[in-house]
């Protein structure tokens, strides 16, 4: 049995399809700017990803692949209407890669957050409405 496993393991290792989560993509739906978003990943081998210079009403994608690394935190600061608003997203480990920065005025003060959203429109044909 041991010899069989040793014979099969290299085949499984090199014939298995490569797997990677989607690259990080953020839609800044606000009129503010974000100098940098920092994406922290679960495993220490995965490293940290950055998205820089998110301008108002822009879609920004990471140029680097994240591989099979789960996301644990996103941190940054939204600069809007003369205010600096911290942006934070926390997870125990998610494969999500698409996010939206949203803001609104609450009691005459700006509030903002970063949330998960399917902004690239990865919908199946069953999700698409058909008009006759």
């Amino acid at each position: 049995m041991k010899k069989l496993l040793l014979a099969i393991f290299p085949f499984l290792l090199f014939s298995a399809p490569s797997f990677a989560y989607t690259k990080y993509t953020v839609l800044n739906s606000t009129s503010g700017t974000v100098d940098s978003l920092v994406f922290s990943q679960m495993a220490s081998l995965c490293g940290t990803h950055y998205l820089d210079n998110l301008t108002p009403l822009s879609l920004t994608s990471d140029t680097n692949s994240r591989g099979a690394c789960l996301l644990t935190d996103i941190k940054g600061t939204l600069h809007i209407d003369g205010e600096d608003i911290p942006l934070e997203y926390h997870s125990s480990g998610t494969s999500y890669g698409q996010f939206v920065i949203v803001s609104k005025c609450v009691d005459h003060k700006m509030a903002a957050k970063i949330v998960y959203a399917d902004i690239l429109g990865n919908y199946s044909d069953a999700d698409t409405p058909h008009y006759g």
Side-chain angles (χ1 to χ4, degrees):
M1 182 67 163
K2 196 176 201 180
K3 288 181 182 181
L4 178 63
L5 287 175
L6 288 174
I8 294 174
F9 181 72
F11 174 75
L12 292 174
L13 183 65
F14 294 108
S15 66
S18 63
F19 179 75
Y21 295 122
T22 60
K23 292 180 179 181
Y24 296 120
T25 303
V26 177
L27 173 64
N28 179 5
S29 71
T30 74
S31 61
T33 61
V34 179
D35 295 331
S36 181
L37 282 177
V38 179
F39 295 80
S40 300
Q41 300 175 126
M42 185 175 266
S44 60
L45 296 175
C46 291
T48 303
H49 286 249
Y50 301 90
L51 287 182
D52 297 320
N53 303 318
L54 284 82
T55 57
L57 306 173
S58 67
L59 183 66
T60 307
S61 293
D62 194 355
T63 56
N64 299 314
S65 173
R66 67 190 265 205
C69 297
L70 295 174
L71 175 69
T72 57
D73 294 288
I74 303 172
K75 292 185 180 183
T77 303
L78 175 66
H79 309 288
I80 187 169
D81 294 338
E83 295 183 50
D84 293 338
I85 303 169
L87 296 171
E88 293 187 8
Y89 177 90
H90 301 288
S91 172
S92 58
T94 184
S95 61
Y96 292 162
Q98 301 172 39
F99 298 89
V100 176
I101 299 170
V102 294
S103 68
K104 69 178 183 176
C105 189
V106 178
D107 296 328
H108 306 290
K109 185 174 179 175
M110 290 302 292
K113 61 183 176 178
I114 185 165
V115 296
Y116 163 75
D118 187 356
I119 56 178
L120 298 179
N122 295 324
Y123 305 108
S124 70
D125 189 47
D127 296 331
T128 306
H130 298 279
Y131 302 99

